[in-house]
Amino acid sequence: MVAPGFVFGLVLPLLLRADASADVGFRFASYIDNYMVLQKEPAGAVIWGYGVSGATVTVTLCQDQETIMKKVTSVKAHSNSWMVVLDPVKPGGPYEVMAQQILGRKNFTLRIHDVLFGDVWLCSGQSNMQMTVSQIFNATSELSNTAAYQSVRILSVSLTQAQQELEDLAKVDLQWSKPTLENLGHGNFTYMSALCWLFGRYLHDTLRYPVGLISSSWAGTPIEAWSSERSLKACGVPRQGFMPSDLETGPSEYSVLWNAMIHPFHNMTLKGVIWYQGESNVNFNRDLYNCTFPALIEDWRQTFHDGSQGQTERFFPFGFVQLSSYLSGATPNDGLPEIRWHQTADFGYVPNPRMPSTFMAVAMDLCDRNSPFGSAHPRDKQTVAYRLHLGARAVAYGAKLTFQGPLPQKIELLGDMGLLNLTYSQPIQVQRHNKIFEISCCSDHQCKWLPAPMDTFSTQTLALNVKSCHDSLVAVRYAWATWPCEYKQCPLYHPTSALPAPPFTAFITNQIPGYCSKVAK
């Protein structure tokens, strides 16, 4: 539900957007508006819109009545669209952007004001990305904490579907705005993503320049709805239409959300993307997720790079949340641990060879038994956002900091001692837990997973007692459960950053977890 005044403001632009290929009036693209953030240097921001075929369009950037630059183009005949790429601009503002269309004696001028230059991030996924600030822990305090963040600007896309790729958005729920109590806390799953907002706020604390945040997410949706036909075809995704999932509440038809809610931004110059999705694929094309997710990232990158005339980096930073835990009545060996693993393309960590320039926030220890929105929707989005922003600072901004939890660097079987020794690449903080490590014990082609209790540990090593296996010890895994530990009480963390060790599974061949290509089962 949107405010009445906002509805009135949308009516005319939406009427004009009805058919972009027709001889429509002169206008900016739907998301180019007052209060927006345009991508700063070294990239050039893209400004585009629609006009009368053959007309000349001049785009002027002004500050304090002074012209900073002018760009001239013409309206294309086949699409009735026009586009310019601004010269790179340093972070800051505010600026005014003016576009003037001239055709014969007809002259039309458009203006948008209070435009800032900074970094623009797109936030997408399903319900855990869609949750708003009013739904998270300490909501009252968070909603009152906006005064210092007026240069963090927010935009929220309406829930829309399309059978074909749209060039422009059909509808916007919240046009570019300064953050307020009202638009951040508008309602449950309505308007601005809490995770997106908190991520941008943490970034702003570090960057000290404007940040633009675009929220485009829909609860209960599978990755196939957010993927183009190209990327689905590349992964051999079958064309069945039924989703056997208790977490499917949104549209599941292939590509319909990519077409309507992501592709319309492909001309925009972006800094990066953050993503929180996967619950709806626990029981739907789960075994393909190690292809569909990397393929989505690759396809989004190529599409945004091409659409922005090369201004969006070809391998722009892409961050995501490794799924948290939820109570579903399932056995410990249901599909959630496999989805977590597939989110890393079966490496267990990112960046990796199949997922370059990516970063991940582990969330399996942020479970929430008492969430009024169901345990699948944990309310601690602050910690998730903090962990994501650490990854962004490292991968997107080159900061030298710890942004992921410890993983074993070497695994050695000390058979004569009945121990499996794990050497970590980082220091580890250990809290004993006798069931979170498991070993695969095999005889006569029959394998079973057995608990491997912790034995001894030091600053960077951990020994597991594997005497329960009297046959061949084939593999080891960590935190391979739907609900591996209670809130912030997993047994392994990095001691100073408090980042949890991510789950892993590995064959016992003294290799780094994840270097094998198949999940050990």
Side-chain angles (χ1 to χ4, degrees):
M1 188 71 183
V2 293
F6 181 66
V7 173
F8 177 79
L10 274 179
V11 172
L12 181 57
L14 285 176
L15 289 174
L16 293 176
R17 290 169 203 156
D19 184 1
S21 64
D23 194 18
V24 295
F26 182 50
R27 66 175 180 85
F28 287 116
S30 59
Y31 56 79
I32 296 178
D33 209 341
N34 303 325
Y35 308 112
M36 78 178 303
V37 176
L38 292 171
Q39 183 58 40
K40 70 167 188 67
E41 62 178 9
V46 173
I47 302 292
W48 73 282
Y50 294 99
V52 179
S53 175
T56 298
V57 176
T58 302
V59 176
T60 307
L61 182 69
C62 302
Q63 187 175 39
D64 298 327
Q65 309 295 317
E66 179 184 349
T67 297
I68 307 299
M69 74 179 77
K70 284 189 176 185
K71 296 290 179 177
V72 181
T73 188
S74 58
V75 179
K76 297 177 183 177
H78 68 282
S79 62
N80 289 98
S81 65
W82 53 268
M83 176 187 294
V84 299
V85 177
L86 300 180
D87 298 333
V89 176
K90 292 180 179 179
Y95 293 88
E96 181 183 68
V97 178
M98 181 173 68
Q100 185 178 45
Q101 175 182 267
I102 298 176
L103 183 64
R105 295 183 179 180
K106 293 182 179 179
N107 186 329
F108 298 96
T109 301
L110 304 171
R111 287 184 175 87
I112 57 172
H113 62 83
D114 201 348
V115 174
L116 304 178
F117 282 81
D119 282 340
V120 182
W121 287 83
L122 172 62
C123 311
S124 187
Q126 56 181 114
S127 54
N128 273 302
M129 183 63 84
Q130 198 181 0
M131 284 178 72
T132 50
V133 180
S134 60
Q135 296 177 266
I136 65 174
F137 284 139
N138 302 317
T140 301
S141 172
E142 297 289 4
L143 289 171
S144 65
N145 185 22
T146 60
Y149 298 100
Q150 293 301 291
S151 60
V152 180
R153 304 291 174 79
I154 58 179
L155 168 73
S156 184
V157 179
S158 297
L159 306 185
T160 50
Q161 307 176 55
Q163 295 299 317
Q164 302 294 329
E165 292 180 345
L166 301 184
E167 292 302 307
D168 198 10
L169 293 170
K171 190 178 179 184
V172 175
D173 270 355
L174 177 69
Q175 262 296 1
W176 282 108
S177 304
K178 297 179 180 181
T180 65
L181 183 152
E182 290 77 20
N183 57 33
L184 288 176
H186 188 65
N188 294 348
F189 303 104
T190 308
Y191 275 13
M192 194 58 199
S193 159
L195 180 58
C196 188
W197 161 248
L198 294 166
F199 171 78
R201 202 180 69 185
Y202 281 126
L203 279 184
H204 183 268
D205 287 342
T206 299
L207 301 173
R208 295 295 174 183
Y209 59 68
V211 176
L213 302 170
I214 300 168
S215 176
S216 184
S217 51
W218 195 328
T221 50
I223 195 170
E224 291 80 4
W226 297 100
S227 304
S228 72
E229 289 187 14
R230 296 177 299 279
S231 60
L232 295 176
K233 187 176 180 180
C235 291
V237 176
R239 293 296 307 183
Q240 88 267 37
F242 174 64
M243 272 192 60
S245 170
D246 56 354
L247 294 174
E248 182 233 334
T249 56
S252 59
E253 191 175 349
Y254 295 175
S255 305
V256 291
L257 303 184
W258 158 258
N259 292 339
M261 296 177 67
I262 301 298
H263 187 268
F265 288 107
H266 75 290
N267 292 338
M268 174 182 269
T269 311
L270 289 179
K271 176 64 177 180
V273 168
I274 59 170
W275 171 262
Y276 195 158
Q277 189 278 335
E279 296 93 340
S280 287
N281 285 96
V282 168
N283 295 312
F284 182 68
N285 289 338
R286 179 177 65 231
D287 293 339
L288 292 174
Y289 204 91
N290 58 0
C291 180
T292 51
F293 186 37
L296 175 144
I297 296 171
E298 165 62 20
D299 187 64
W300 284 29
R301 283 173 166 168
Q302 186 69 63
T303 303
F304 278 86
H305 178 73
D306 293 344
S308 65
Q309 310 294 307
Q311 298 305 308
T312 297
E313 290 183 15
R314 174 64 181 82
F315 294 97
F316 63 73
F318 195 109
F320 65 95
V321 182
Q322 192 179 47
L323 297 187
S324 186
S325 305
Y326 59 82
L327 299 170
S328 61
T331 64
N333 294 321
D334 74 358
L336 191 56
E338 290 192 21
I339 281 287
R340 291 192 188 113
W341 184 249
H342 292 334
Q343 285 182 288
T344 68
D346 298 355
F347 280 81
Y349 60 89
V350 296
N352 62 51
R354 288 190 61 202
M355 301 172 68
S357 300
T358 57
F359 54 95
M360 173 176 75
V362 175
M364 67 179 180
D365 66 331
L366 302 179
C367 44
D368 188 352
R369 289 180 182 273
N370 301 313
S371 172
F373 314 105
S375 63
H377 301 112
R379 289 166 289 176
D380 182 359
K381 292 297 188 281
Q382 291 90 336
T383 303
V384 181
Y386 180 77
R387 291 173 181 175
L388 264 182
H389 113 281
L390 289 179
R393 286 171 62 188
V395 173
Y397 298 99
K400 303 298 182 184
L401 51 78
T402 300
F403 67 98
Q404 50 193 349
L407 266 172
Q409 190 175 36
K410 184 169 64 172
I411 301 174
E412 298 174 289
L413 178 60
L414 308 177
D416 55 335
M417 302 173 63
L419 296 175
L420 188 66
N421 199 58
L422 282 64
T423 303
Y424 285 81
S425 58
Q426 298 176 344
I428 54 174
Q429 178 178 303
V430 181
Q431 178 178 319
R432 285 192 180 275
H433 190 303
N434 288 332
K435 294 183 179 180
I436 202 160
F437 280 99
E438 297 172 293
I439 50 173
S440 180
C441 190
C442 301
S443 63
D444 299 326
H445 305 291
Q446 295 292 318
C447 298
K448 57 183 177 180
W449 287 100
L450 304 173
M454 296 181 184
D455 194 285
T456 59
F457 56 87
S458 64
T459 307
Q460 288 188 232
T461 63
L462 175 64
L464 305 177
N465 185 324
V466 295
K467 294 177 182 177
S468 60
C469 182
H470 303 291
D471 299 296
S472 297
L473 200 165
V474 175
V476 61
R477 67 188 186 187
Y478 170 74
W480 207 262
T482 297
W483 194 284
C485 52
E486 293 304 314
Y487 180 77
K488 292 190 176 180
Q489 292 180 18
C490 280
L492 288 175
Y493 288 86
H494 184 275
T496 56
S497 69
L499 293 172
F504 75 84
T505 183
F507 294 104
I508 308 300
T509 54
N510 293 351
Q511 84 284 2
I512 298 174
Y515 271 64
C516 50
S517 60
K518 295 183 179 179
V519 177
K521 293 183 179 180

